[in-house]
Amino acid sequence: MTDVVIVGAGVVGASVAFHLAERGVDTLVLDAAGCLGGQTPRSGAIIRGHHATVVEAGLAWESLTDYYERWDERVGGGCGFTRSGFAYLADEADAPAVRANVAMLRPHGLAEELLEPDELAEVEPAAVPDGISLVAYEERAGYADPVATTLGLLAAARRLGARVERARAVSVIESGGRVSGVLTDAGARRADAVLLAAGAWTPGLAAGVGVELPIRAARIQVMLYQRPYQLTTHLVMTDVANDTYLRPTADWCTLVGRHAPEREWLAGPDADTGEPDESFVRDCRERLGRRVPSMRDAAYRLGRTCALDITPDGRPVLGPTGPDGLYVAAGWSGSGFGKAPAIGAELARWMVDGGPERPELTRFGPRRFVTGELITGEHEYGATGPH
Ligand SMILES: Cc1cc2nc3c(=O)[nH]c(=O)nc-3n(C[C@H](O)[C@H](O)[C@H](O)COP(=O)(O)OP(=O)(O)OC[C@H]3O[C@@H](n4cnc5c(N)ncnc54)[C@H](O)[C@@H]3O)c2cc1C
């Protein structure tokens, strides 16, 4: 019998395990693949404060400044955090929202600046300002190594007494309206509380105890192109005009993804996402070359595909739901890595103290999809912008 069983050892499950273990909670993490069997190892792993709601920006900023920037001190070891800086390149349609969001976030301590298009060269000489109306610039943002981050959190959790077991959760055990553990392919694991942090696999497990989560699996592709040696690094950029995001990688490449306004829905999380599409490889390089001309003819190095966990408002499902003792943290819709450290702390508070520090998080339950109270920013971006 343990206090908490966490299903899923991606970055989110690992972070919750670390924070529960820090609080002395007897924690068991189960993962069908041992760990890192989902999106996390394929993540762009971009970390930036800029978001369209204060609560999401706060989680991201706390994750950046209290964890990623001081990983060794806070968690132990390294997570590969690299401060590259981040620029949100807004087109004419998104510029008013960017202006309003920067004004909204600054009083909450986020260090964001607004730049005119012709000032972009001062922070990123490799990029041209074509099609840009306004830039939100964040100097402290960057990216990390998602595998090192997750393994670091799991190692720290283990040092504090948590256990990590390779086992597939088959169902949540419930009787009389209370959970009492998880049935796995290696037998039952009893616990007072269960957290489902199994990414795109979460709705299948929740359905077994009558909890309907509108989280759907969608295919995502990202591409890596060889960076010319004279381009040592560059900013992380969300390029709305070209509908791409890009960031440098440690092995002299530039990772490019699209926000995929047309979703490629999958039959389920186990569907084969296949090889990257040749047309996508060409398209992303063309878009990259429009913003960073020195990469116009960059060689394609490799591509990755996998299943994302998408909700109707692009925000995760968080907190207690269904039978007593059941918690969920899934449906990140492509934005869970940057916030994972702080959300791990919040979920641990929720499970131990009965609530999160940020009361706004109680709106992130699945009831919002029934009542229609979806989460949106006051100045929300179009389909291509970050949440
Ligand atoms: C290409 C790509 C780019 C991204 N870029 C960014 C970015 O730049 N910034 C950002 O913040 N976010 C980004 N994201 C999103 C972010 O990576 C995810 O939100 C985050 O990694 C989700 O972590 P997770 O722990 O919730 O889920 P996952 O990493 O999917 O982990 C789920 C785990 O559950 C396990 N599991 C599943 N079913 C079972 C079962 N029945 N029993 C036991 N274990 C089970 C799996 O093996 C897996 O290890 C990106 C995602 C992708 C795919």
Side-chain angles (χ1 to χ4, degrees):
M1 183 83 179
T2 46
D3 294 336
V4 177
V5 166
I6 297 174
V7 181
V11 70
V12 174
S15 175
V16 181
F18 166 62
H19 287 95
L20 284 173
E22 263 195 333
R23 288 169 154 258
V25 176
D26 185 11
T27 304
L28 171 66
V29 187
L30 303 173
D31 195 290
C35 66
L36 289 165
Q39 294 165 54
T40 301
R42 297 162 181 92
S43 181
I46 293 168
I47 303 150
R48 51 163 167 80
H50 193 89
H51 282 76
T53 65
V54 171
V55 64
E56 291 167 293
L59 290 166
W61 193 248
E62 182 183 321
S63 297
L64 171 65
T65 57
D66 287 2
Y67 294 84
Y68 288 115
E69 286 186 339
R70 40 191 289 260
W71 197 262
D72 189 25
E73 190 188 327
R74 183 67 187 86
V75 181
C79 68
F81 176 69
T82 306
R83 180 188 286 181
S84 58
F86 165 76
Y88 183 89
L89 311 178
D91 62 3
E92 209 180 327
D94 264 0
V98 167
R99 199 177 287 285
N101 284 331
V102 168
M104 171 183 82
L105 297 176
R106 271 193 188 146
H108 295 276
L110 276 90
E112 305 238 337
E113 278 176 65
L114 285 176
L115 305 176
E116 293 304 319
D118 60 2
E119 293 174 307
L120 176 64
E122 290 168 25
V123 291
E124 185 45 83
V128 292
D130 301 2
I132 299 175
S133 292
L134 191 63
V135 177
Y137 173 62
E138 207 179 286
E139 199 212 340
R140 283 171 75 172
Y143 56 89
D145 173 341
V147 172
T149 300
T150 307
L151 294 179
L153 288 164
L154 289 174
R158 275 200 191 95
R159 282 195 299 275
L160 293 162
R163 284 160 298 131
V164 183
E165 185 185 341
R166 183 182 193 128
R168 175 178 299 280
V170 177
S171 58
V172 175
I173 306 168
E174 181 224 341
S175 66
R178 247 218 94 74
V179 302
S180 58
V182 173
L183 183 64
T184 79
D185 54 5
R189 299 291 179 265
R190 296 285 169 184
D192 294 329
V194 173
L195 170 74
L196 300 178
W201 289 271
T202 305
L205 290 165
V209 282
V211 175
E212 199 187 315
L213 299 176
I215 298 174
R216 289 177 70 192
R219 180 172 180 256
I220 181 170
Q221 314 183 58
V222 285
M223 305 296 143
L224 272 74
Y225 302 91
Q226 182 76 35
R227 207 163 61 243
Y229 274 96
Q230 66 273 24
L231 184 54
T232 321
T233 186
H234 56 73
L235 293 181
V236 169
M237 288 177 258
T238 289
D239 181 357
V240 176
N242 284 310
D243 179 19
T244 51
Y245 58 89
L246 44 137
R247 75 140 165 108
T249 71
D251 55 351
W252 225 270
C253 284
T254 289
L255 178 149
V256 184
R258 295 196 56 203
H259 295 94
E262 311 95 30
R263 294 278 179 211
E264 289 182 67
W265 296 113
L266 297 167
D270 292 313
D272 183 5
T273 54
E275 291 297 313
D277 304 342
E278 277 181 35
S279 57
F280 199 88
V281 174
R282 283 195 302 274
D283 180 50
C284 280
R285 179 175 26 223
E286 211 180 292
R287 290 166 189 271
L288 169 64
R290 269 186 242 147
R291 184 60 64 214
V292 182
S294 61
M295 292 201 70
R296 192 169 283 138
D297 300 316
Y300 168 64
R301 185 75 99 62
L302 61 97
R304 301 182 188 129
T305 68
C306 77
L308 276 184
D309 49 346
I310 308 285
T311 66
D313 59 9
R315 268 80 182 199
V317 181
L318 301 171
T321 183
D324 286 348
L326 183 68
Y327 294 78
V328 172
W332 287 97
S333 308
S335 70
F337 183 81
K339 307 179 199 84
I343 205 64
E346 284 288 33
L347 278 153
R349 271 181 215 117
W350 218 330
M351 297 175 94
V352 178
D353 303 338
E357 193 174 79
R358 297 167 172 85
E360 309 93 295
L361 286 175
T362 56
R363 291 187 51 218
F364 282 69
R367 235 190 102 60
R368 72 184 193 267
F369 303 114
V370 179
T371 61
E373 291 165 283
L374 301 186
I375 293 163
T376 55
E378 210 178 308
H379 310 282
E380 190 69 67
Y381 295 114
T384 55
H387 291 304

